[in-house]
């Protein structure tokens, strides 16, 4: 067991007992990166080699010098007998969609490749103030637009540590891959339709989307401002709790951060699930997919392995004292993706108008005829196909003649999705759930190149996670087993607004209840070969 | 069935979006947009809940949990050179852009 295979809490205890130094912890993680990550993502990258196909490629930018200075500062504080903070000496990676002062903050797009952030996002600022050691910025889908990381302008794209021929998921794929491969015990991601939970499920780690407003969006390069949520990825519920504690809470610089007190997540963690009401919904055991020939939308059953993992989790939790409530209706679930196609595109198109080659970022090297020509050439060269798709769809569905038919209707559908959750969680209602237990994804991680290019099929990878974004409620994905293809299966818990402590508590109980199961001992492929 | 986003509509959108696409890229993106519309059109068949209230985001922010507006007070940015350093072309601390097309309003 190397230091980089320990949890953040274990590292914290070792550091506080002065059994290791923060620099030693950092060096162990940098050695792991050297061993498994391969070359970082770059623009106009050379073609993939066989060696590349065996590596993880989670990182875009390594910040070794910054990390070393932070680790040395932690060691000095520990030596002086000072409290160095709750995350002191813990290595973290940060999705490259967050501005971090003095670092390239690229959004994995050519249009921001030259941008160095002049300020730091609140969640990163809070982690660093808590003593975290930021070892690098990790790759993602361009502007977070995707569910596989293949759309990054910085190639090679991240690959799944459990099988590098498979995608890590997205858009926080670099975050999930870096945590699964032991490059860092914690990573900061974002979730707009499942972008923390889906890659967490694909890479066999824990990923939490907090309640909308629980964590500040200040310094997050915006995709869909009514849906984006920063949150933690970790290898256990306890580590996710530790990180959420540091980043949660109101921020005067983000008007949509909620003024709700932050509970002590770690103190709540071991309270168990006795008496908790955990629901199962048949609407999360049905999938919707476009027909490959006609494109028409069809319903099909969830694959048996994914279903079995959820039912097993229900059985484990029932054995620990939870009450399982079956047949909870969530009828609007299937409308999550169509509504998301509209709302997210309208907001993305609006947020992408600022990239014009004038104020910062990429500017065309061709000579423009005038200012409008500068915009056109810059945006044509700077954006990849996914941002262009989102801009054009956003403009189409919000056009005056279509907005009632599409945009306003999608907003009403969002309210219907929210009503499903309100009914399920109503403390005086029929179901009175503490949480809803569902699969996180329709399948395990798919092969590289298998879906990329089909923007509709790719979007449906998020169909079981996106309802929580519409409703704003928190959700967590937990490793729930290993499928026959050797890849992790994720299970998801969704709860009422600001119920992160309860979700983490259920997650911890599930981890305790399954600690002895054989699948818990299986390691990702890139670590097995070492 | 005819694609709802015809080449003409598509070209209009591309111009409005201040984009330029080559032929191959335009063909791919137009096809994807029309495929996405098939999924989006599911919305048209949904029986809407008459009481469904449109919100800015899923969580309803009551006044108790909403942030008060910040005081409208001018604050100097501590390092304007860092901001200017990000500008692709700058001259004497002014942002340089090509000619701005003249439009005569009628």
């Amino acid at each position: 067991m190397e230091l980089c295979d320990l949890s953040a809490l274990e590292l914290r205890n070792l550091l506080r007992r002065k059994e290791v130094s923060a620099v030693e912890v950092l060096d162990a993680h940098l050695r792991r990166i050297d061993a498994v990550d391969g070359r970082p993502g770059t623009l106009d990258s050379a073609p993939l080699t066989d060696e590349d196909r065996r590596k993880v490629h989670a990182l875009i930018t390594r910040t070794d010098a910054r990390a070393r200075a932070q680790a040395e500062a932690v060691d000095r504080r520990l030596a002086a007998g000072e409290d160095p903070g709750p995350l002191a000496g813990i290595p973290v990676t940060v999705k490259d969609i967050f501005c971090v002062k003095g670092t390239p903050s690229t959004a994995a797009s050519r249009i921001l490749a030259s941008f160095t952030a002049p300020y730091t996002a609140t969640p990163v600022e809070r982690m660093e103030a808590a003593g975290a050691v930021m070892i690098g910025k990790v790759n993602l889908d361009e502007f977070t637009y995707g569910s596989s990381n293949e759309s990054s302008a910085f190639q090679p794209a991240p690959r799944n540590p459990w099988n590098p021929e498979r995608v890590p998921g997205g858009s926080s794929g670099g975050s999930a891959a870096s945590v699964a491969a032991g490059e860092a015990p914690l990573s900061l991601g974002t979730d707009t339709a499942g972008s923390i939970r889906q890659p967490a499920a694909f890479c066999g780690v824990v990923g939490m989307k907090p309640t909308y407003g629980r964590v500040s969006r200040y310094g997050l390069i915006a995709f869909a401002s009514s849906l984006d949520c920063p949150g933690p990825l970790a290898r256990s519920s306890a580590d996710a709790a530790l990180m959420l504690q540091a980043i949660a809470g109101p921020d005067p610089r983000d008007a949509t951060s909620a003024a709700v007190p932050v509970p002590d997540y770690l103190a709540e963690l071991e309270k168990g699930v006795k008496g908790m009401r955990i629901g199962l919904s048949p609407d999360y055991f049905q999938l919707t997919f476009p027909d490959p020939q006609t494109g028409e939308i069809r319903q099909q059953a969830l694959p048996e392995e994914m279903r079995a993992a959820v039912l097993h989790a229900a059985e484990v939790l029932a054995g620990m004292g939870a009450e399982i409530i079956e047949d909870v209706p969530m009828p609007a679930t299937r409308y999550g993706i169509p509504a998301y196609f509209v709302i997210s595109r309208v907001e993305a198109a609006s947020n992408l108008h600022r990239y014009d080659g004038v104020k910062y970022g990429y500017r065309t090297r061709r000579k423009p005829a005038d200012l409008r020509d500068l915009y056109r050439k810059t945006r044509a060269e700077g954006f990849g196909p996914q941002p262009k798709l989102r801009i054009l769809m956003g403009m189409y569905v919000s056009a005056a003649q279509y907005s009632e038919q599409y945009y306003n209707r999608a907003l009403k559908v969002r309210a219907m999705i929210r009503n499903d959750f309100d009914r399920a969680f109503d403390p005086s209602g029929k179901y009175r759930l503490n949480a809803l237990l569902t699969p996180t994804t329709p399948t395990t991680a798919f092969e590289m190149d298998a879906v990329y290019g089909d923007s509709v099929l790719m979007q449906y990878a998020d169909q079981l996670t996106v309802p929580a974004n519409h409703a704003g409620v928190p959700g967590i994905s937990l490793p729930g087993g290993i499928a026959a293809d050797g890849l992790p299966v994720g299970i998801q818990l969704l709860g009422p607004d600001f119920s992160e402590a309860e979700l983490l508590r259920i997650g911890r109980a599930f981890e305790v209840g399954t600690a002895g199961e054989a699948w818990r001992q299986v390691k990702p492929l890139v670590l097995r070969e070492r | 069935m005819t694609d709802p986003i015809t080449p003409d509509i598509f070209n209009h959108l591309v111009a409005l979006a201040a984009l330029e696409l080559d032929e191959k890229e335009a063909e791919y993106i137009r096809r994807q947009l029309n495929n996405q519309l098939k999924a989006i059109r599911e919305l048209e068949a949904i029986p809407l809940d008459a009481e469904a209230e449109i919100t800015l985001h899923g969580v309803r922010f009551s006044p108790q949990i909403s942030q008060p507006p910040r005081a409208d007070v001018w604050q100097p940015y501590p390092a304007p050179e860092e901001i200017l350093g990000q500008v692709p072309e700058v001259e004497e601390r002014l942002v340089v852009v090509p000619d701005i097309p003249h439009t005569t309003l009628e």
Side-chain angles (χ1 to χ4, degrees):
Chain A
M1 178 79 78
E2 297 174 52
L3 282 175
C4 50
D5 295 314
L6 299 180
S7 71
L9 278 167
E10 287 169 326
L11 290 173
R12 187 170 86 152
N13 292 338
L14 287 175
L15 283 157
R16 290 186 174 221
R17 291 199 301 264
K18 297 184 183 163
E19 290 175 29
V20 293
S21 70
V23 168
E24 285 172 317
V25 170
L26 168 66
D27 285 338
H29 287 85
L30 295 181
R31 281 195 300 275
R32 173 62 60 81
I33 291 171
D34 290 338
V36 304
D37 206 57
R39 61 184 168 119
T42 56
L43 293 178
D44 307 315
S45 150
L48 277 186
T49 63
D50 287 346
E51 167 84 355
D52 287 334
R53 290 190 173 85
R54 291 193 292 271
K55 298 294 187 186
V56 176
H57 307 289
L59 286 148
I60 291 183
T61 303
R62 284 177 65 155
T63 51
D64 291 21
R66 181 189 189 101
R68 192 160 298 282
Q70 289 173 331
E72 286 169 354
V74 168
D75 283 337
R76 279 195 299 275
R77 295 194 72 180
L78 283 167
E82 296 171 16
D83 179 1
L87 293 180
I90 310 296
V92 299
T93 59
V94 172
K95 186 178 183 180
D96 205 15
I97 197 73
F98 289 96
C99 291
V100 178
K101 186 175 167 65
T103 70
S105 297
T106 69
S109 179
R110 182 181 296 274
I111 211 157
L112 281 177
S114 64
F115 176 63
T116 300
Y119 65 101
T120 297
T122 296
V124 181
E125 191 176 82
R126 288 181 177 178
M127 284 197 299
E128 291 191 325
V133 170
M134 193 191 87
I135 57 174
K137 308 283 291 288
V138 281
N139 214 335
L140 61 148
D141 283 289
E142 186 176 0
F143 277 102
T144 78
Y145 302 159
S147 307
S148 71
N149 270 218
E150 292 161 289
S151 68
S152 172
F154 290 71
Q155 296 287 328
R159 303 173 86 87
N160 193 316
W162 287 81
N163 177 351
E165 294 301 318
R166 303 292 179 119
V167 301
S171 63
S172 305
S175 288
S178 69
V179 170
E183 297 177 8
L186 302 174
S187 188
L188 179 66
T190 61
D191 192 312
T192 306
S195 281
I196 288 175
R197 291 162 289 155
Q198 186 253 24
F202 278 9
C203 292
V205 300
V206 173
M208 172 167 257
K209 179 203 99 71
T211 310
Y212 182 83
R214 175 80 289 182
V215 178
S216 169
R217 292 183 297 112
Y218 178 77
L220 162 64
I221 298 169
F223 165 12
S225 306
S226 74
L227 302 164
D228 294 339
C229 292
L233 292 101
R235 291 195 291 271
S236 67
S237 300
D239 277 7
L242 177 71
M243 179 169 158
L244 183 63
Q245 195 77 52
I247 62 176
D251 175 10
R253 294 175 295 187
D254 174 7
T256 61
S257 65
V260 175
V262 180
D264 185 339
Y265 296 117
L266 284 171
E268 297 288 310
L269 212 54
E270 303 292 347
K271 289 186 175 170
V273 291
K274 196 165 183 208
M276 286 181 123
R277 292 169 65 86
I278 298 174
L280 295 171
S281 171
D283 296 300
Y284 277 84
F285 291 95
Q286 290 260 15
L287 299 176
T288 305
F289 273 115
D291 183 287
Q293 264 75 48
T294 64
E296 298 307 319
I297 305 301
R298 304 247 182 269
Q299 291 225 292
Q300 62 189 67
L302 183 76
E304 188 48 40
E305 276 184 310
M306 312 304 282
R307 179 185 175 85
V310 178
L311 296 181
H312 174 62
E315 210 171 82
V316 169
L317 293 168
M320 300 177 88
E323 191 178 348
I324 304 300
I325 314 296
E326 295 188 64
D327 294 324
V328 178
M330 304 291 287
T333 302
R334 62 171 293 192
Y335 304 133
I337 293 294
Y340 181 77
F341 260 129
V342 175
I343 296 168
S344 70
R345 271 53 175 179
V346 170
E347 295 186 18
S350 170
N351 280 321
L352 289 173
H353 280 308
R354 71 192 67 172
Y355 303 106
D356 54 11
V358 172
K359 303 176 290 296
Y360 51 85
Y362 180 79
R363 177 184 277 201
T364 182
R365 282 155 184 85
R366 291 185 285 165
K367 187 167 171 51
D370 57 30
L371 186 61
R372 284 190 193 135
D373 196 36
L374 172 79
Y375 296 158
R376 280 194 296 270
K377 287 184 163 62
T378 295
R379 289 159 64 85
E381 295 165 15
F383 287 135
Q386 296 309 315
K388 288 172 183 168
L389 260 168
R390 276 156 181 79
I391 293 168
L392 293 167
M393 181 55 86
M395 295 187 75
Y396 179 78
V397 294
S398 60
Q401 65 270 42
Y402 301 122
S403 66
E404 189 57 41
Q405 182 183 356
Y406 294 127
Y407 185 57
N408 290 345
R409 206 169 174 87
L411 292 176
K412 287 177 185 162
V413 170
R414 167 155 85 181
M416 287 171 66
I417 293 170
R418 171 76 198 191
N419 289 345
D420 280 357
F421 285 99
D422 285 344
R423 273 192 296 274
F425 298 141
D426 182 353
S428 51
K430 182 176 175 188
Y431 302 103
R432 305 183 305 285
L433 299 184
N434 296 96
L436 185 70
L437 172 64
T438 79
T440 309
T441 57
T443 63
T444 56
F446 41 87
E447 288 180 17
M448 305 281 295
D449 300 321
V451 179
Y452 185 59
D454 184 337
S455 62
V456 180
L457 192 55
M458 186 68 85
Q459 193 68 80
Y460 274 91
D462 296 332
Q463 61 184 283
L464 302 174
T465 46
V466 74
N469 299 82
H470 285 304
V473 299
I476 188 169
S477 179
L478 305 159
I482 304 280
D485 57 12
L487 294 165
V489 175
I491 57 164
Q492 177 177 233
L493 291 158
L494 305 171
D497 295 344
F498 305 104
S499 67
E500 288 83 0
E502 286 195 330
L503 297 185
L504 290 161
R505 185 173 139 193
I506 301 169
R508 171 67 184 154
F510 177 68
E511 288 163 358
V512 169
T514 55
E517 294 186 2
W519 63 271
R520 288 271 182 205
Q521 306 310 316
V522 185
K523 292 200 298 187
L525 189 64
V526 296
L527 301 184
R528 268 179 258 161
E529 289 168 345
R530 288 169 49 74
Chain B
M1 185 182 148
T2 315
D3 286 335
I5 302 182
T6 63
D8 282 350
I9 293 173
F10 182 75
N11 291 336
H12 178 63
L13 287 171
V14 170
L16 282 178
L19 289 171
E20 272 181 357
L21 303 174
D22 64 35
E23 202 176 323
K24 194 174 156 198
E25 198 176 21
E27 189 191 323
Y28 166 74
I29 290 179
R30 192 171 78 83
R31 189 171 66 246
Q32 290 298 314
L33 290 176
N34 280 307
N35 288 345
Q36 290 181 10
L37 267 186
K38 284 182 187 161
I40 290 170
R41 287 192 146 177
E42 265 214 298
L43 293 173
E44 293 172 17
I46 300 172
L48 286 180
D49 181 346
E51 290 172 19
E53 201 180 307
I54 288 176
T55 53
L56 290 175
H57 36 74
V59 179
R60 295 176 187 103
F61 274 31
S62 63
Q64 289 73 34
I65 69 164
S66 299
Q67 296 265 8
R70 281 178 295 179
D72 185 12
V73 179
W74 178 80
Q75 294 175 16
Y77 186 74
E81 296 308 322
E82 284 178 13
I83 302 292
L84 284 168
Q86 300 288 330
V87 179
E89 194 177 349
V90 77
E91 200 175 293
E92 294 176 1
R93 306 186 89 236
L94 295 173
V95 176
V96 178
V97 294
D99 286 345
I100 299 171
H102 180 77
T103 305
T104 304
L105 296 175
E106 292 175 5

